[in-house]
Amino acid sequence: QSVLTQPPSVSGAPGQRVTISCTGSSSNIGAGYDVHWYQQLPGTAPKLLIYVNSNRPSGVPDRFSGSKSGTSASLAITGLQAEDEADYYCQSYDSSLSSSVFGGGTKLTVL
Amino acid sequence: QVQLQQWGAGLLKPSETLSLTCAVYGGSISGYDWNWIRQPPGKGLEWIGEINNSGSTSYHPSLKSRVTISVDTSKNQFSLKLSSVTAADTAVYYCASGGSTDWFDPWGQGTLVTVSS
């Protein structure tokens, strides 16, 4: 039971657009804390994908975008490619726990 | 460009103490925040704790009684100790740069720690 809730899985065909939601509460996302996203390819360490809700680090394709509203955030991936198949995690800070918290992760399958 | 390389014992018996070290290359460890994060096999990520640029530590409430994170500035390294481990502590452990209210980047390569009698 993660503090941030993500769908366990999403899927899409190559070229399509998918979104991954991250739902929190008034003690984390709703309190104004930023949301960050990570991509984890099989057998590797997570890689920063989006920081501070909607910013892409250098080298991350603009096919990846993030947004935040209220107690939720979303990651959108357009022009799906086979190489996007991975696990995606959202992360924020929770004031009730005084801890950084992650979503449970979403497995993206490219059909 | 900062890179993190980590190491430590990969197999422990119940009740032993987990000890991992993360070395910072390409930059100074001083002035930044450093974290440990773990991932049980087949499961999601769990933040363990951080040591900030002032040397203050904060830990996940569920692990607070067993965790110690420290920094050795002379070696440009930081470390994790987790006492009284059980099978539930079996996970890949990652070190990462960043504050607990910020993002984590970069990450170490990960170390699988298995607790088994």
Side-chain angles (χ1 to χ4, degrees):
Chain A
Q1 311 84 322
S2 301
V3 173
L4 304 179
T5 301
Q6 298 180 233
S9 64
V10 297
S11 63
Q16 285 190 332
R17 177 182 187 269
V18 297
T19 61
I20 298 172
S21 60
C22 176
T23 302
S25 66
S26 58
S27 61
N28 42 69
I29 299 175
Y33 292 105
D34 295 321
V35 178
H36 320 293
W37 292 89
Y38 302 86
Q39 177 192 60
Q40 186 176 33
L41 298 171
T44 69
K47 167 194 165 186
L48 180 66
L49 200 61
I50 297 287
Y51 66 99
V52 187
N53 309 317
S54 59
N55 296 277
R56 285 186 309 276
S58 174
V60 173
D62 59 7
R63 301 187 296 104
F64 295 90
S65 63
S67 64
K68 173 191 161 184
S69 178
T71 58
S72 297
S74 289
L75 173 70
I77 310 172
T78 59
L80 265 183
Q81 300 180 3
E83 66 208 48
D84 299 333
E85 193 160 282
D87 293 325
Y88 293 84
Y89 293 90
C90 60
Q91 175 235 330
S92 186
Y93 182 82
D94 190 281
S95 58
S96 295
L97 296 172
S98 297
S99 298
S100 184
V101 291
F102 288 93
T106 299
K107 182 175 181 60
L108 168 63
T109 300
V110 180
L111 302 171
Chain B
Q1 181 176 346
V2 172
Q3 293 185 331
L4 306 181
Q5 185 169 357
Q6 57 182 103
W7 64 88
L11 181 61
L12 296 174
K13 289 182 167 48
S15 81
E16 292 184 334
T17 295
L18 179 157
S19 182
L20 298 175
T21 300
C22 184
V24 180
Y25 296 102
S28 174
I29 199 168
S30 300
Y32 297 92
D33 303 338
W34 306 97
N35 294 259
W36 289 95
I37 296 156
R38 70 181 182 179
Q39 184 173 34
K43 297 187 178 182
L45 300 165
E46 179 183 39
W47 180 78
I48 297 170
E50 74 161 357
I51 184 163
N52 69 17
N53 56 58
S54 300
S56 298
T57 54
S58 58
Y59 304 125
H60 192 286
S62 68
L63 300 170
K64 192 172 184 176
S65 63
R66 299 192 291 131
V67 174
T68 302
I69 296 176
S70 59
V71 164
D72 186 337
T73 54
S74 67
K75 294 183 178 180
N76 231 36
Q77 297 172 356
F78 63 106
S79 298
L80 168 71
K81 290 191 186 300
L82 180 66
S83 63
S84 304
V85 297
T86 70
D89 295 311
T90 293
V92 176
Y93 287 74
Y94 296 101
C95 57
S97 176
S100 58
T101 59
D102 298 319
W103 59 94
F104 302 123
D105 183 61
W107 296 57
Q109 79 277 19
T111 301
L112 173 61
V113 177
T114 302
V115 181
S116 175
S117 55

